[in-house]
Amino acid sequence: MEKELISKLHSFERKVLPVLQELKELKAIAQKTGLQEIEVMRAFQWLQNKDILKIKKDIKEIVNLDINGQSYIKKGLPERRFLNAFKTKETLKAEEIKKLSDLSTEELNASIGILKRKNAIDIKPGLIISLTSKGKDLINKETEEEKLLKKLPLNLEKFSKEEKLILEGLKRRKGLINITLEKTFTVELTELGKTLSKEKILKETFVNNLTPEMLRTGSWVGAKFRHYDVEINVPLIYPGKLHPLTQAINYIKKIWLELGFKEMTGPLVDTSFWNFDALFTPQDHPAREMQDTLFIKDPKNGKLPNQKILNQVKLQHEKGWKYKWNPETAKRLVLRTHTTPLSARTLSNLKQLPAKYFSIGRVFRNETLDWSHLAEFTQTEGIVIDENANFKHLIGYLKEFFLKMGYKKVRFSPGFFPYTEPSLEVFVFDETKNKWLELGGAGILRPEVVKSLLGKEIPVLAWGLGIERIVKDYYKINDIRELYLADLKHIRESKIWMK
Amino acid sequence: MPKITINKNTLMKLVGKKFTDKELEEKIPMLGVDMEYIEGNDLIVEIFPNRPDLLSDQGFARAFKSFIGKKTGLIKYKIKDSKEKVIVDSKLSNIRPYTACAIIKTIKFNDENITEIMQLQEKLHITFCRNRKKASIGIYPLDKIKFPIYYKALEPEKIKFQPLDEKKELTAIEILNKTPKGKFYKHLLEDFKLYPCFVDSNNNFMSLIPVINSELTGKVTEKTKNVFIEVSGIDLNTINQCLNIIVTTLVDMGGEIYSLQIQYKNQKIKTPNLSPSELKIDLNYINKILGLKINENDTEKYLAKMGLGYKNKKALIPGYRTDIMHQIDIAEEIAIAYGYNNFEHSIPNIATAAEEDKIEKFKSLIKQILIGLNFTEINTFHLSNKKSQCNKMNHDFDLIELENALTEDYNALRAWLIPSLIETLHRNKHNEYPQNIFTMGYSFSKDNKFETNIKEELKLAVCLASADVDYTKIRQVLNSLFLSLNLTPIYKESNCPSFIAGRIAEVLIKGKSIATLGEISPLVLTQWNLETPVAAFELNLSVLFEILH
């Protein structure tokens, strides 16, 4: 059994174990064996795991001079320099002391405070300072603080009660002293360890690594290979990895492709025309105001599409909303607030029916970022254009999508969007949280929208669904910002998207 | 969308039925109102902009009462003629030409319903009246004014009265410059030479439209029993509907409606007009769009549930509903009455060919190569700021700035992606090295060749961060990418102040510049507080894609 144990020892352990008969402390062992301290420490831990020794950690608090402390040791403490100014004069103005003793304002004020507490100075109006008799004594006498500073560095345990009190005062002063923790490690052999450390077999050579050299020369024949502890944990390595959000997007993309949808892409900056006007959102609609939508400062405007579409959109707006539609307002550039402008553009270019399209892309809102809000996030959009499409199909597609996303229960309630009618909001039941989550909106595009873009009235089912919330829940992330302002460790260690 | 507080007790009293919180939480959303939460007697709901008639306890209760089947169908309102007149000045025609008025009598005002009506007025002003631009509402105690009443356009110096909550008389100009309400709505009037106002037959000013009432003639108190209401603005339809919403709310508070004659130069109109409007319904259309098979009886029943009438294949729409302009809107009413969750769902058999976008496909391929090279993908924002994009990168770009960003951190669009990755490295100093990361996304630059006058290009940025990175290591990454794409690039010495001089190259393929690569300058690293060397490249995938296709 002992032999087997020895065959498993790493070369570090093998080097450390014999010297433990005489040495116990980490640093000394490192010196003796020629190993680095960290290597000795690892050997200690491995040996402890094998019940060969016990590690004792001893923590000492060492009081050291800090930056200012080191400089004061040479130049003298500020209060000492303050006192020295009185070697030639009886009374001095604070300003004069500052100059004579080369003190900063901060040091001057500190010195006055300290000496006042010691009753060593007397201050008259106009900051005229003289020494008391106690102060005069101090000129030629070392203060307790000075005595203490000279002793440093020193183990905190060795301080007397009085010294500890003085130390408290010194701690409060800026950069004077600091306390560091010094760890020392010693080991104690167990009975097993005592026996093993005497074993001659420790001196035998075990092969640590099989080398190409050994294979070439055949020296491996008869060699003894060190046995590994195959049960012990090994350091992590990280695979290359797609961001969790990308994994989710890829999965969602697959769902739409499986359902026969074609992908749409388009610009992130778009004209108000495509983001709002083409979607029957009146020009004075609150959603178009500054608090929701991010507008581009320069260039301010983009170009409008052909006159035919413009006329149609103008007509529908003026008829439906009863105001004068302004093409200039429609030119205004915005960061798209939803992916629906892509659907609008697609409809205006549509050549063949029926058709089904999807997109997954970034959208923007004028929000201050917090744990549940982003100014930039991801939406997935879908449209189905078919003469026979109806409300039941809309509900059908949404149920199917969310089922594939792992949500068995889906609920709908009436919603409102200027460009859809009927409109609905989609809720899914989160079983882990036992509550309904709102995940997006949908509807049938209004005839006014379809007619302007497509030239005729045809049912168009449309939806826009948020993605981040699903991803956030899947990865149990509390703060949504983490999906964009990544902690590498979290991405590296994240599970892959498996739905 | 406006959030409002409904008084739960008032609601139940008006509906005439008690509900548990759970029942309310379940039923309210199905009517088409976002249920926020219930706290004690307060019911916090969010009203969609298409239903301003739900903005008061009374309006909400009316719809709810009908929806749950307690009292369904079109409500008929009795209107008596007051025989009074409001005379409209033709000079208003280019300012705020229209007004719709009503008198409501025998209403018992108390603290609660004064607050309620003021809240309704405020919410209507913000939403339906578009911050008073389209219309504004004024309510006046009847016994303080004398008919006929004049809606006039006058020179601002000549309008002088003591506004509500002010201590002394002010001219219209002083009101706009000195009072809080005046300052807030100044922009609606300042372009005009004449300002709209109401004046009664005692020659007392009643209000400056759309800003404020007079203290003397325009203050409703608990003693008020009868009121005169005017809604004035730029669109006839809006003001009529708005008046109807207020009037019906006051009826539900116990008031009686009296009409008035509005006398324009060329026409006389009697307001309020609460007779329902008619909309012809094609039941085939409704059934087709909803996927249902309902008959006329069903239609009548469902519309009744929504407070609408049905007669001779026509829907009768109450005067307080503002959102029904097309048959499709009737389809939604029927769908809500039918219950969204009662629809069977099905996926139609619509044969279409699936297709992934080509550039998106290309993106996936490139990402796959990088994952094979053991890179971690980082998700980054397109929004950035000058400091990150330029100053800290020791570089300069003509960034595209945003007009109205809420935070300085995200007030511009990024011109390149490497800063997004450097920022990631900066945030991850506590994590293990090497940190080999990449991100893909768009960069933005001004270019009037495009529809939006902005060029959006898909880019890939890659960073290697560890103690031993150098030009060779980052070039190896780019090389293996090109190897996989079967491309042979040319590397040329280049310069860019973000990189170490002499260790930066421009990469060309078929004469087109497509990437920059090199070692990031220590100045940049220091500015980002990084203590680990970084080598990086940024590759233009839009151009690369063009070359390949």
Side-chain angles (χ1 to χ4, degrees):
Chain A
M1 188 228 143
E2 280 155 25
K3 259 196 173 167
E4 198 191 309
L5 199 59
I6 287 173
S7 71
K8 280 190 176 174
L9 296 182
H10 186 272
S11 63
F12 293 168
E13 294 169 283
R14 212 175 285 285
K15 277 186 189 154
V16 166
L17 196 47
V19 304
L20 294 183
Q21 287 176 44
E22 39 172 333
L23 297 173
K24 293 196 181 320
E25 198 270 323
L26 181 113
K27 280 188 180 142
I29 295 167
Q31 223 163 27
K32 173 97 181 176
T33 56
L35 292 170
Q36 288 176 23
E37 281 181 33
I38 184 151
E39 291 168 335
V40 176
M41 194 59 221
R42 274 157 79 186
F44 278 1
Q45 268 152 3
W46 295 335
L47 289 167
Q48 179 168 263
N49 291 344
K50 296 187 184 89
D51 270 333
I52 291 170
L53 55 75
K54 279 224 157 60
I55 306 173
K56 264 173 60 189
K57 191 161 107 179
D58 195 18
I59 301 174
K60 282 186 202 151
E61 289 180 90
I62 307 292
V63 183
N64 301 296
L65 287 170
D66 205 345
I67 298 180
N68 290 341
Q70 281 164 11
S71 111
Y72 293 156
I73 276 288
K74 287 179 211 136
K75 286 204 299 194
L77 282 169
E79 63 264 36
R80 170 61 55 202
R81 278 145 60 199
F82 186 105
L83 286 170
N84 285 346
F86 288 93
K87 278 186 174 164
T88 50
K89 268 190 160 181
E90 287 283 318
T91 56
L92 284 164
K93 281 188 180 166
E95 271 308 304
E96 293 173 318
I97 301 170
K98 189 175 172 227
K99 226 181 249 167
L100 276 170
S101 308
D102 185 26
L103 294 168
S104 71
T105 310
E106 205 182 342
E107 288 172 329
L108 177 76
N109 293 338
S111 303
I112 293 175
I114 292 160
L115 293 171
K116 192 90 190 82
R117 274 198 294 281
K118 287 184 186 288
N119 285 327
I121 53 169
D122 200 30
I123 307 172
K124 294 230 160 62
L127 277 176
I128 298 165
I129 299 167
S130 58
L131 293 189
T132 61
S133 59
K134 216 169 170 194
K136 284 174 189 153
D137 282 351
L138 277 177
I139 291 193
N140 298 315
K141 217 173 98 188
E142 242 183 2
T143 62
E144 293 303 317
E145 287 85 354
E146 285 168 323
K147 279 184 204 158
L148 192 66
L149 287 175
K150 275 190 184 162
K151 286 191 185 169
L152 302 182
L154 192 66
N155 186 345
L156 189 63
E157 280 176 14
K158 305 223 166 112
F159 279 67
S160 68
K161 241 186 190 166
E162 294 74 30
E163 282 175 326
K164 275 188 183 160
L165 221 62
I166 295 161
L167 190 66
E168 284 309 309
L170 293 175
K171 266 200 216 163
R172 278 194 288 274
R173 295 177 63 175
K174 196 174 158 193
L176 203 53
I177 57 160
N178 63 36
I179 297 177
T180 52
L181 298 179
E182 201 178 275
K183 291 181 206 159
T184 53
F185 292 95
T186 52
V187 292
E188 197 67 52
L189 285 171
T190 61
E191 284 311 309
L192 173 66
K194 281 176 190 158
T195 329
L196 284 179
S197 65
K198 290 173 198 146
E199 287 280 347
K200 284 215 178 73
I201 198 170
L202 284 171
K203 300 236 161 50
E204 258 185 55
T205 46
F206 280 81
V207 176
N208 213 19
N209 294 314
L210 178 62
T211 61
E213 176 73 19
M214 290 167 74
L215 288 166
R216 253 197 316 275
T217 58
S219 68
W220 60 270
V221 180
K224 282 185 184 158
F225 287 88
R226 182 174 72 82
H227 290 208
Y228 294 153
D229 182 351
V230 295
E231 289 168 14
I232 204 168
N233 219 347
V234 297
L236 274 176
I237 57 162
Y238 300 111
K241 199 174 264 178
L242 286 176
H243 192 279
L245 193 63
T246 307
Q247 296 178 44
I249 287 172
N250 288 347
Y251 179 82
I252 291 168
K253 187 174 284 192
K254 220 176 127 205
I255 295 178
W256 297 129
L257 291 172
E258 282 168 357
L259 288 168
F261 284 66
K262 192 171 171 175
E263 189 167 17
M264 319 178 264
T265 53
L268 300 176
V269 176
D270 214 334
T271 54
S272 290
F273 180 84
W274 290 110
N275 196 69
F276 296 123
D277 295 275
L279 297 166
F280 202 51
T281 309
Q283 294 189 326
D284 61 358
H285 192 276
R288 295 176 74 144
E289 277 171 22
M290 296 298 219
Q291 60 263 37
D292 289 311
T293 305
L294 286 164
F295 288 87
I296 307 290
K297 194 184 208 168
D298 175 29
K300 244 188 165 51
N301 292 328
K303 300 172 183 89
L304 292 178
N306 67 54
Q307 200 60 42
K308 203 179 137 207
I309 294 184
L310 284 191
N311 289 343
Q312 272 299 321
V313 167
K314 179 183 163 73
L315 180 81
Q316 299 295 353
H317 274 248
E318 296 190 344
K319 205 174 90 185
W321 298 115
K322 308 213 162 50
Y323 73 103
K324 194 156 170 34
W325 187 77
N326 183 356
E328 285 308 306
T329 308
K331 284 183 189 165
R332 196 75 181 84
L333 289 177
V334 299
L335 275 160
R336 68 181 187 205
T337 57
H338 48 180
T339 40
T340 320
L342 299 178
S343 296
R345 284 172 178 276
T346 301
L347 284 173
S348 74
N349 272 318
L350 200 65
K351 301 277 178 322
Q352 207 186 348
L353 286 175
K356 296 190 300 219
Y357 285 89
F358 80 96
S359 79
I360 306 171
R362 288 281 173 90
V363 297
F364 301 81
R365 295 284 160 85
N366 200 5
E367 293 265 17
T368 307
L369 275 66
D370 63 31
W371 69 276
S372 69
H373 291 93
L374 292 170
E376 193 177 334
F377 54 97
T378 317
Q379 210 174 52
T380 182
E381 170 100 1
I383 47 172
V384 175
I385 311 124
D386 178 48
E387 196 58 65
N388 295 312
N390 64 39
F391 195 64
K392 274 186 189 168
H393 302 149
L394 176 65
I395 287 177
Y397 277 115
L398 292 168
K399 280 215 165 164
E400 181 69 18
F401 173 75
F402 283 111
L403 192 67
K404 284 177 190 266
M405 291 304 287
Y407 296 102
K408 291 189 195 85
K409 276 158 76 184
V410 186
R411 190 175 82 178
F412 306 95
S413 70
F416 171 77
F417 308 99
Y419 46 94
T420 53
E421 190 85 4
S423 308
L424 58 82
E425 286 181 351
V426 196
F427 294 80
V428 298
F429 193 70
D430 183 334
E431 279 167 27
T432 53
K433 285 188 183 152
N434 198 31
K435 67 173 192 188
W436 291 95
L437 294 177
E438 195 204 326
L439 286 183
I444 300 178
L445 288 187
R446 288 195 71 96
E448 292 91 339
V449 176
V450 181
K451 206 164 172 212
S452 332
L453 299 172
L454 207 56
K456 56 181 168 183
E457 280 187 34
I458 275 187
V460 179
L461 314 178
W463 53 85
L465 313 168
I467 289 179
E468 272 79 2
R469 233 171 134 175
I470 302 175
V471 179
K472 187 179 148 206
D473 284 345
Y474 183 72
Y475 286 98
K476 300 197 165 44
I477 294 169
N478 291 323
D479 188 333
I480 202 160
R481 286 171 291 196
E482 210 175 278
L483 289 175
Y484 289 85
L485 307 173
D487 188 285
L488 258 181
K489 190 174 153 70
H490 293 164
I491 304 182
R492 282 169 166 170
E493 294 180 0
S494 65
K495 62 177 173 183
I496 57 163
W497 179 272
M498 292 174 290
K499 280 267 184 178
Chain B
M1 281 185 281
K3 271 188 195 145
I4 60 161
T5 306
I6 303 274
N7 183 318
K8 207 165 73 185
N9 287 339
T10 309
L11 174 71
M12 295 201 271
K13 215 161 86 189
L14 286 164
V15 173
K17 201 176 167 188
K18 283 211 180 319
F19 297 97
T20 63
D21 285 0
K22 202 166 171 250
E23 285 172 320
L24 290 172
E25 272 166 357
E26 268 169 23
K27 287 198 161 74
I28 290 174
M30 294 310 147
L31 171 63
V33 171
D34 260 358
M35 182 70 230
E36 294 282 323
Y37 56 91
I38 299 176
E39 203 176 76
N41 195 33
D42 289 346
L43 203 69
I44 316 295
V45 294
E46 203 170 323
I47 305 294
F48 296 133
N50 60 334
R51 291 299 301 270
D53 59 302
L54 302 182
L55 287 170
S56 66
D57 286 0
Q58 287 69 22
F60 187 87
R62 193 191 311 135
F64 195 61
K65 192 172 177 176
S66 182
F67 184 66
I68 59 161
K70 183 89 184 159
K71 184 171 184 261
T72 63
L74 192 71
I75 299 168
K76 287 205 177 86
Y77 291 94
K78 263 185 235 150
I79 303 180
K80 292 175 193 160
D81 192 349
S82 73
K83 307 228 165 67
E84 304 288 3
K85 278 179 200 156
V86 175
I87 296 149
V88 182
D89 189 345
S90 61
K91 289 201 289 291
L92 282 161
S93 63
N94 291 319
I95 310 168
R96 289 174 85 88
Y98 306 111
T99 187
C101 307
I103 290 170
I104 303 288
K105 286 189 182 168
T106 67
I107 196 158
K108 280 191 194 108
F109 276 109
N110 54 28
D111 257 1
E112 197 186 303
N113 53 28
I114 289 182
T115 317
E116 182 64 30
I117 206 78
M118 275 166 64
Q119 243 182 58
L120 171 65
Q121 193 179 349
E122 195 49 36
K123 297 286 179 192
L124 283 170
H125 272 152
I126 294 167
T127 56
F128 191 60
C129 304
R130 302 281 192 259
N131 283 319
R132 305 194 187 184
K133 202 165 105 193
K134 253 183 159 169
S136 66
I137 306 154
I139 304 177
Y140 312 81
L142 197 64
D143 55 355
K144 299 271 173 77
I145 54 175
K146 191 179 168 197
F147 285 94
I149 281 166
Y150 297 89
Y151 180 34
K152 279 188 174 169
L154 289 177
E155 283 148 31
E157 310 74 60
K158 291 194 179 145
I159 303 173
K160 196 171 181 190
F161 63 91
Q162 182 188 351
L164 270 184
D165 303 327
E166 293 292 329
K167 297 226 160 51
K168 54 175 192 185
E169 282 199 347
L170 300 172
T171 65
I173 295 169
E174 287 169 325
I175 292 174
L176 295 194
N177 291 320
K178 287 183 183 160
T179 67
K181 279 253 167 5
K183 285 180 202 161
F184 199 77
Y185 296 107
K186 191 179 172 184
H187 66 282
L188 295 174
L189 289 180
E190 60 189 355
D191 290 342
F192 299 110
K193 284 203 182 74
L194 303 177
Y195 289 179
C197 59
F198 274 85
V199 185
D200 77 352
S201 285
N202 290 329
N203 239 344
N204 281 329
F205 282 99
M206 293 163 62
S207 54
L208 173 66
I209 304 295
V211 184
I212 199 156
N213 278 8
S214 144
E215 175 81 24
L216 181 69
T217 55
K219 191 175 186 175
V220 176
T221 66
E222 285 164 53
K223 287 177 191 143
T224 311
K225 284 205 170 55
N226 307 322
V227 290
F228 166 74
I229 303 164
E230 50 82 15
V231 182
S232 310
I234 52 176
D235 175 52
L236 203 51
N237 207 33
T238 307
I239 59 165
N240 281 323
Q241 289 175 339
C242 192
L243 180 68
N244 288 348
I245 291 171
I246 295 171
V247 162
T248 48
T249 299
L250 288 170
V251 168
D252 291 343
M253 284 181 181
E256 290 171 5
I257 315 170
Y258 288 80
S259 64
L260 299 104
Q261 194 180 74
I262 314 292
Q263 222 167 291
Y264 294 93
K265 196 179 173 194
N266 301 318
Q267 60 174 336
K268 289 171 186 168
I269 303 176
K270 205 163 246 184
T271 65
N273 179 3
L274 279 164
S275 53
S277 52
E278 295 181 350
L279 190 71
K280 202 164 180 314
I281 304 179
D282 174 4
L283 215 49
N284 287 332
Y285 172 84
I286 306 273
N287 277 325
K288 184 171 169 282
I289 205 85
L290 295 180
L292 295 176
K293 282 177 188 153
I294 58 166
N295 57 31
E296 286 203 55
N297 284 341
D298 299 329
T299 308
E300 191 175 349
K301 186 181 83 190
Y302 291 133
L303 289 181
K305 204 172 162 185
M306 301 308 287
L308 274 67
Y310 181 76
K311 207 175 168 184
N312 302 332
K313 301 191 193 304
K314 281 178 189 155
L316 305 176
I317 303 146
Y320 53 82
R321 285 296 296 267
T322 64
D323 57 319
I324 296 173
M325 23 186 178
H326 187 281
Q327 274 205 75
I328 195 74
D329 300 303
I330 297 293
E332 185 178 73
E333 294 295 309
I334 291 172
I336 294 173
Y338 186 83
Y340 276 23
N341 295 304
N342 298 328
F343 278 85
E344 285 169 41
H345 51 93
S346 66
I347 291 196
N349 201 359
I350 305 173
T352 50
E355 190 181 329
E356 192 177 358
D357 181 73
K358 288 197 177 66
I359 191 108
E360 290 293 315
K361 230 187 229 171
F362 182 59
K363 264 165 79 174
S364 289
L365 284 176
I366 302 287
K367 283 184 185 179
Q368 213 176 314
I369 297 170
L370 287 158
I371 299 304
L373 290 166
N374 214 33
F375 279 84
T376 305
E377 187 194 13
I378 303 294
N379 209 2
T380 53
F381 286 132
H382 293 84
L383 295 171
S384 186
N385 58 69
K386 179 110 185 160
K387 205 170 153 197
S388 302
Q389 285 280 303
C390 304
N391 305 359
K392 286 172 100 173
M393 295 305 295
N394 193 28
H395 205 319
D396 200 17
F397 284 101
D398 183 13
L399 288 185
I400 294 170
E401 288 174 26
L402 303 180
E403 178 85 58
N404 58 326
L406 280 175
T407 53
E408 276 183 19
D409 290 347
Y410 304 103
N411 63 5
L413 291 168
R414 67 179 171 197
W416 60 328
L417 274 61
I418 287 178
S420 308
L421 285 186
I422 302 274
E423 205 179 320
T424 305
L425 294 173
H426 162 77
R427 256 200 327 274
N428 281 284
K429 276 166 65 183
H430 59 286
N431 280 320
E432 208 175 300
Y433 287 94
Q435 296 182 1
N436 299 341
I437 56 176
F438 78 91
T439 191
M440 230 180 247
Y442 289 86
S443 70
F444 302 80
S445 57
K446 293 174 188 172
D447 189 337
N448 54 25
K449 281 200 291 292
F450 292 82
E451 185 183 342
T452 57
N453 296 320
I454 288 172
K455 181 159 78 175
E456 298 181 19
E457 288 179 298
L458 182 65
K459 301 268 181 73
L460 162 70
V462 172
C463 275
L464 295 172
S466 74
D468 60 353
V469 297
D470 57 16
Y471 176 79
T472 306
K473 290 214 164 79
I474 192 70
R475 178 152 161 184
Q476 284 171 324
V477 176
L478 192 55
N479 272 350
S480 59
L481 204 92
F482 286 133
L483 189 68
S484 305
L485 297 170
N486 195 23
L487 289 169
T488 323
I490 292 168
Y491 293 86
K492 266 183 150 176
E493 190 171 333
S494 169
N495 57 59
C496 166
S498 305
F499 294 82
I500 298 176
R503 298 182 179 192
I504 164 167
E506 185 188 4
V507 188
L508 299 128
I509 288 182
K510 295 187 178 159
K512 280 186 181 163
S513 171
I514 61 157
T516 302
L517 98 154
E519 294 177 20
I520 300 291
S521 128
L523 175 65
V524 171
L525 297 178
T526 315
Q527 288 181 155
W528 280 100
N529 247 322
L530 283 168
E531 284 145 23
T532 310
V534 177
F537 72 76
E538 180 151 331
L539 173 65
N540 191 324
L541 294 178
S542 292
V543 175
L544 188 63
F545 181 77
E546 267 173 44
I547 292 170
L548 286 165
H549 291 81

